Amino acid sequence: MLFELHNGVTDRISHCGVLEFVAEEGMIIMPYWMMQNMLLQEGDIVRVKNATLPKGTYVKLQPHTTDFLDISNPKAILEKTLRNFSCLTTGDSIMVAYNNKQYYIDIVEAKPASAVSIIETDCEVDFAPPLDYKEPEKPQRPIVPAGKAPAEETREVENQDRLVHRKG
């Protein structure tokens, strides 16, 4: 069973499966990270309705930090974590726990729809650069005046140095 969750105050929509039906009637129990995704506080009202989602064929993920890339086998850790999910919704963030650390990953894109089921499906996964990723700065080469070869420029500088020494 899959459900659509809707926070009417913020107009935030997400999707989820059900682990078990243990909450009192009219109440739901959800993990804290999901409440954060939905911009909910304890006691807030959320609309829940049954949903049918297509099987996912593609998902693009974006880690929040580059240290996720330092995990020795991120693919295996991600596959293990995603077994706990029944669906993914574009715009959501999921939490991956590994080695006593929590890594947050955004769902940037999903196909064939913005919300997809990942139960018993082979889904292609792509990564966007982490949110805190910075391109390495390229070393700047010295600017050579147009029409002069680097060797000519060097001789000119050497000649200027000689002139300075003669004046002194």
Side-chain angles (χ1 to χ4, degrees):
M1 292 185 82
L2 300 177
F3 297 94
E4 178 185 280
L5 305 176
H6 182 246
N7 178 346
V9 174
T10 61
D11 209 28
R12 184 84 175 98
I13 294 175
S14 188
H15 298 81
C16 68
V18 64
L19 192 56
E20 55 187 349
F21 292 98
V22 294
E24 296 175 27
E25 190 171 329
M27 304 282 278
I28 62 171
I29 299 171
M30 68 172 64
Y32 182 68
W33 64 265
M34 187 178 282
M35 290 178 66
Q36 288 178 309
N37 265 339
M38 296 293 301
L39 307 173
L40 292 167
Q41 299 294 318
E42 189 172 332
D44 284 352
I45 294 175
V46 63
R47 188 182 78 215
V48 180
K49 72 177 188 178
N50 192 39
T52 302
L53 301 177
K55 285 192 178 285
T57 57
Y58 173 84
V59 177
K60 187 171 192 174
L61 307 174
Q62 184 173 39
H64 285 200
T65 58
T66 53
D67 56 351
F68 178 75
L69 306 175
D70 296 334
I71 296 175
S72 60
N73 191 350
K75 182 181 180 215
I77 301 305
L78 195 57
E79 284 177 358
K80 181 179 182 276
T81 300
L82 289 177
R83 285 187 204 124
N84 297 322
F85 290 83
S86 51
C87 53
L88 297 173
T89 304
T90 300
D92 279 358
S93 291
I94 60 172
M95 190 270 294
V96 175
Y98 178 72
N99 264 359
N100 298 320
K101 191 161 182 183
Q102 295 178 341
Y103 301 92
Y104 289 89
I105 299 175
D106 290 342
I107 312 303
V108 176
E109 185 179 354
K111 291 181 182 174
S114 62
V116 294
S117 168
I118 58 170
I119 300 169
E120 295 179 20
T121 185
D122 283 329
C123 195
E124 179 186 345
V125 176
D126 194 10
F127 284 90
L131 292 174
D132 68 348
Y133 178 75
K134 289 181 178 62
E135 284 284 337
E137 289 188 25
K138 296 177 184 172
Q140 293 184 349
R141 290 186 261 156
I143 299 172
V144 178
K148 290 190 177 183
E152 289 175 23
E153 183 183 51
T154 303
R155 271 188 252 116
E156 187 176 309
V157 170
E158 287 172 0
N159 290 338
Q160 286 176 355
D161 285 343
R162 280 190 222 124
L163 288 174
V164 170
H165 291 293
R166 286 184 195 149
K167 287 183 180 176

